[in-house]
């Protein structure tokens, strides 16, 4: 039985950082304009890329599926607005690899025409959880906290598994990012409806919203919204503002005191955790019939003139958003997707907003300083003191640096949430997180190579097996044929006699050019008689046949 603690706990490590959220929260959440062209990547989620359903030249409506998911861990993609498909090709996307990926390019027609219809809350509560999951899947919803894991999969605890607690993650702990706070304050009803639908889909016994105590306005919005909805079973708990309080494992520990096992999942404890923005997307999909075609994005940093939170259509180029926020200032030096701790550096602002883009940080040199030259580790242990996953970052660094990936895994490399706390405090300026990312990528690559090699080996073994089987079958067929040849025929003496008689009759008939009569076929078989009759008929129709 999981218990929600009256007094939240403090997890190990973490950092107290300057929030820097107020610039983007000064103005209310607003709708971003729809650009002339939208670049919608086929892969915006964890899992297999979606498969296009449209062709160049097709006209599409807002919300129409334009790519389908072909596997369980995947998500479909929908048209963010109405218009025409003008290209399907590789374009730059915001990804740490910096590589291009397939995108569907839409030329907006400015009409923004949609075909959709939602359900009532009563109908949703009467629906089977499996139907709700299917609806969520069809709407292309993935985790909007940054992970991008398909939500329908996380709404399925699996056979025989009870959900004790649904945790809604509204902690939003990373500096500068305020999209969840804006969503809670300006779309409270959508958020609460989504949480109630998720609770129903999971049959969760308890539900709690974990939110940092530095967000009093959002906390009171949630509380008032729940009162209005008459839902007293959902609790709102303010947790200490410490980075990374919004890490899934850290939040669960803070709220319940339960520790998710190494390499384990929250469901192992009967807990499921969803981001608050994901909940709102679920509410919108079921009650308004709108798939995931937009999300709230924070545009902020000293490098942009008017920081803001905007509701942005997926596929909108970042450059267009920056323009809608007054353009760049002279101080901009770097563009990040995400916050300063876990964000990804972007080489260009031509890249589009995707489902997992929570923030665009146009940073000044002060906000995102150039990394200082790294020095050798002095074994000060500061990195271990701040690690919220209770790891030994210096050991992980050592093994990642030495490419000893097995050892790195022995030190629970995959429990690292890449929060960057260790890098932040390292007096030797070692880019520790980069080493962990590198090690993880190498391990995944090796696994992929191993899988490929296994498949190739299996194919080769199957090929050899088939050759062996063909050879055996051939031998068996030959043996059978040989046996059939050597087998004495039934009624041997009589049949031989009959054959000889028939042959003599045929010769005689040929010589006399007379039809063979029934008289000399008395001892013949049916087949032999039929053959003779056929000869007779042929001769009758052509008397010259067989004549010299
Ligand atoms: S903080 Fe840096 S120098 Fe200190 S032990 Fe960790 S890696 Fe080494
Ligand atoms: S990045 Fe990983 S190793 Fe470093 S503090 Fe965070 S969880 Fe620990």
């Amino acid at each position: 039985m999981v218990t929600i603690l009256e007094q939240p706990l403090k997890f190990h490590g973490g950092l107290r950082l300057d929030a820097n959220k107020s610039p983007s929260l000064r103005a209310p959440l607003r709708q971003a304009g729809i650009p002339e062209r939208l670049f919608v990547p086929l892969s915006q989620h964890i899992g297999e890329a979606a498969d296009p359903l449209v062709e160049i030249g097709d006209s599409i409506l807002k919300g129409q599926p334009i790519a389908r998911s072909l596997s369980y861990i995947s998500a479909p993609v929908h048209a963010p607005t109405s218009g025409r498909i003008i290209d399907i090709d590789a374009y730059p996307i915001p990804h740490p690899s910096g590589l291009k990926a397939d995108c569907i390019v839409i030329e907006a027609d400015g009409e923004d025409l949609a075909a959709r219809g939602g359900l009532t809350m009563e109908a949703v509560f009467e629906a089977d959880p499996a139907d709700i999951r299917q609806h969520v899947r069809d709407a292309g919803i993935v985790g909007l906290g940054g992970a991008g894991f398909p939500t329908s999969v996380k709404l399925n605890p699996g056979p025989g598994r009870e959900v004790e607690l649904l945790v809604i993650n509204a902690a939003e702990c990373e500096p500068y990012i305020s999209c969840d706070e804006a969503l809670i304050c300006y779309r409270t009803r959508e958020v609460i409806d989504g949480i109630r639908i998720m609770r129903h889909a999971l049959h969760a016994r308890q539900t709690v919203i974990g939110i940092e105590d530095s967000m009093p306005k959002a906390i009171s919005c949630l509380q008032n919204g729940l009162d209005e909805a008459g839902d007293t079973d959902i609790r709102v708990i303010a947790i200490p503002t410490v980075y990374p309080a919004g890490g899934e494992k850290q939040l669960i520990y803070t709220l319940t005191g339960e520790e998710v096992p190494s390499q384990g999942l929250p469901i192992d404890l009967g807990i499921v955790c969803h981001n608050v923005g994901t909940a709102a997307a679920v509410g919108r999909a079921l009650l308004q019939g709108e798939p995931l075609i937009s999300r709230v994005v924070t545009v902020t940093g000293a490098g942009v003139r008017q920081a803001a939170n905007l509701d942005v259509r997926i596929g909108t180029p970042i450059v267009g958003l920056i323009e809608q926020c007054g353009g760049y200032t002279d101080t901009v030096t770097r563009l990040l997707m995400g916050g300063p701790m876990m964000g990804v550096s972007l080489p260009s602002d031509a890249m589009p907003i995707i489902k997992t883009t929570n923030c665009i940080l146009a940073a000044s040199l002060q906000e995102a300083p150039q990394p200082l030259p790294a020095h050798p580790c002095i074994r000060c242990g500061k990195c271990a003191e701040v690690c919220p996953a209770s790891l030994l970052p210096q050991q992980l660094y050592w093994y990642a640096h030495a490419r000893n990936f097995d050892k790195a895994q022995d030190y629970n490399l995959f429990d690292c949430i890449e929060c960057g706390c260790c890098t932040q405090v390292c007096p030797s300026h070692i880019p520790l997180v980069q080493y962990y990312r590198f090690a993880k990528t190498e391990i995944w690559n090796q696994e992929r190579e191993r899988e490929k090699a296994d498949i190739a080996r299996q194919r080769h073994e199957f090929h050899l097996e088939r050759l062996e089987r063909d050879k055996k079958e051939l031998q068996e067929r030959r043996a059978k044929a040989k046996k059939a040849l050597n087998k004495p025929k039934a009624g041997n003496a009589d049949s031989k006699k009959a054959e000889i008689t028939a042959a003599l009759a045929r010769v005689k008939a040929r010589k006399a050019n007379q039809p063979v009569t029934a008289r000399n076929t008395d001892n013949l078989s049916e087949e032999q008689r039929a053959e003779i009759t056929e000869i007779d008929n042929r001769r009758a129709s052509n008397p010259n046949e067989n004549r010299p």
Side-chain angles (χ1 to χ4, degrees):
M1 175 78 183
V2 180
T3 312
I4 303 167
L5 301 172
E6 287 307 318
Q7 195 59 41
L9 295 175
K10 158 81 181 70
F11 58 87
H12 175 266
L15 292 171
R16 287 189 189 275
L17 304 168
D18 288 340
N20 285 315
K21 297 184 191 237
S22 47
S24 56
L25 288 168
R26 258 179 228 132
L29 171 64
R30 69 173 203 263
Q31 196 76 42
I34 303 170
E36 283 173 12
R37 280 185 182 185
L38 298 101
F39 298 77
V40 187
L42 294 173
S43 181
Q44 308 178 45
H45 48 264
I46 288 180
E48 203 177 305
D51 179 51
L53 289 168
V54 287
E55 288 177 0
I56 296 170
D58 285 357
S59 292
I60 37 126
L61 289 175
K62 170 182 162 186
Q64 181 182 323
I66 51 173
R68 62 188 169 161
S69 55
L70 292 178
S71 68
Y72 186 54
I73 311 290
S74 181
V77 175
H78 300 78
T81 188
S82 57
R84 202 169 56 89
I85 308 295
I86 56 166
D87 200 8
I88 302 174
D89 208 344
Y91 285 89
I93 62 155
H95 189 270
S97 67
L99 297 173
K100 289 181 177 180
D102 284 343
C103 293
I104 296 177
V105 186
I106 298 168
E107 190 173 63
D109 60 12
E111 303 285 332
D112 207 27
L113 291 173
R116 65 170 196 236
L119 301 170
T120 61
M121 200 59 157
E122 289 71 31
V124 173
F125 285 152
E126 277 169 20
D128 191 81
D131 292 337
I132 295 176
R133 283 197 294 273
Q134 189 59 47
H135 210 108
V136 170
R137 182 175 175 78
D138 291 344
I141 300 174
V142 301
L144 299 189
F149 193 79
T151 302
S152 59
V153 179
K154 261 180 106 177
L155 283 177
N156 186 1
R161 277 180 146 167
E162 301 283 316
V163 178
E164 290 275 346
L165 177 65
L166 166 62
V167 174
I168 298 296
N169 188 346
E172 199 166 51
C173 55
E174 188 156 0
Y176 289 88
I177 306 175
S178 63
C179 55
D180 288 349
E181 193 171 350
L183 184 70
I184 293 168
C185 293
Y186 295 99
R187 296 204 180 143
T188 318
R189 186 61 200 252
E190 218 167 80
V191 169
I192 288 172
D193 285 347
I195 295 171
R196 294 175 76 204
I197 293 169
M198 282 181 157
R199 177 182 60 182
H200 171 67
L202 287 162
H203 283 313
R205 291 213 180 96
Q206 310 168 79
T207 304
V208 62
I209 306 171
I211 181 164
E212 282 195 333
D213 54 13
S214 57
M215 296 189 217
K217 189 177 165 196
I219 292 170
S220 73
C221 283
L222 284 171
Q223 207 58 71
N224 293 340
L226 288 168
D227 291 345
E228 270 172 32
D231 204 320
T232 50
D233 289 342
I234 299 174
R235 295 179 61 185
V236 181
I237 299 217
I239 58 168
T241 300
V242 180
Y243 176 79
E248 192 172 70
K249 291 183 178 179
Q250 288 66 37
L251 183 60
I252 288 170
Y253 177 77
T254 304
L255 293 167
T256 66
E258 302 280 347
E259 288 192 46
V260 179
S262 173
Q263 311 264 348
L265 293 171
I267 191 62
D268 300 337
L269 302 170
I271 300 173
V272 174
C273 189
H274 282 283
N275 170 265
V276 70
T278 314
V282 167
R284 218 175 159 103
L286 275 108
L287 302 177
Q288 297 176 37
E290 185 176 289
L292 184 55
I293 56 168
S294 68
R295 65 155 300 146
V296 179
V297 179
T298 305
V299 182
T300 190
V304 67
R305 287 186 199 285
Q306 296 146 16
N309 279 292
L310 300 108
D311 188 349
V312 184
R313 298 292 168 91
I314 304 300
T316 301
I318 293 165
V319 60
L321 273 192
I322 298 282
E323 278 165 17
Q324 291 180 53
C325 293
Y328 293 113
T329 65
D330 294 340
T331 58
V332 66
T333 53
R334 249 175 102 193
L335 202 58
L336 295 169
M337 183 177 82
M341 298 297 284
M342 296 178 80
V344 176
S345 205
L346 298 178
S348 147
D349 58 10
M351 294 173 171
I353 297 296
I354 59 171
K355 292 178 182 178
T356 51
T357 311
N358 51 7
C359 177
I360 296 297
L361 177 59
S364 65
L365 193 58
Q366 204 185 359
E367 289 169 324
Q370 287 299 319
L372 294 167
H375 296 288
C377 170
I378 55 171
R379 302 226 161 237
C380 66
K382 283 188 179 167
C383 49
E385 279 169 27
V386 296
C387 177
S390 303
L391 302 175
L392 292 173
Q394 72 275 37
Q395 294 299 119
L396 286 176
Y397 157 65
W398 179 256
Y399 292 120
H401 186 256
R403 300 180 68 92
N404 189 342
F405 301 130
D406 288 342
K407 265 298 194 194
Q409 287 187 85
D410 290 347
Y411 279 83
N412 298 325
L413 171 70
F414 283 96
D415 282 350
C416 166
I417 57 170
E418 299 175 19
C419 65
C421 289
C422 50
T423 306
Q424 185 84 358
V425 299
C426 177
S428 297
H429 311 301
I430 302 170
L432 295 165
V433 181
Q434 284 183 27
Y435 280 97
Y436 309 147
R437 283 184 187 149
F438 160 74
K440 285 180 188 177
T441 311
E442 284 296 298
I443 292 167
W444 286 324
N445 287 344
Q446 284 177 5
E447 270 171 19
R448 264 197 292 274
E449 288 305 313
R450 235 191 328 264
E451 272 168 23
K452 266 196 223 159
D454 281 351
I455 291 169
R457 184 178 45 74
Q458 277 170 8
R459 275 202 195 126
H460 181 63
E461 283 172 4
F462 181 70
H463 178 66
L464 290 180
E465 238 178 70
R466 204 178 57 200
L467 287 180
E468 190 57 36
R469 200 176 53 227
D470 289 352
K471 195 173 150 193
K472 213 169 148 194
E473 278 174 11
L474 185 67
Q475 282 170 347
E476 278 171 7
R477 275 204 304 275
R478 279 183 180 156
K480 217 169 156 186
K482 201 170 167 189
K483 206 170 158 193
L485 274 176
N486 294 336
K487 197 176 164 190
K489 288 190 180 152
N492 202 13
D494 284 354
S495 114
K496 276 220 162 87
K497 202 173 160 191
E499 274 175 29
I500 293 163
T501 312
L504 288 172
R506 280 198 296 274
V507 171
K508 214 170 164 185
R510 208 177 291 134
K511 277 184 184 164
N513 194 17
Q514 290 293 319
V516 179
T517 63
R519 200 180 52 244
N520 38 22
T521 60
D522 286 345
N523 292 328
L524 301 185
S525 68
E526 282 299 318
E527 277 174 17
Q528 288 161 341
R529 278 197 208 113
E531 193 186 341
I532 292 165
T533 309
E534 197 191 322
I535 295 167
D536 287 344
N537 291 342
R538 269 207 320 266
R539 285 189 179 147
S541 60
N542 181 11
N544 293 327
E545 186 181 318
N546 289 338
R547 287 205 166 189

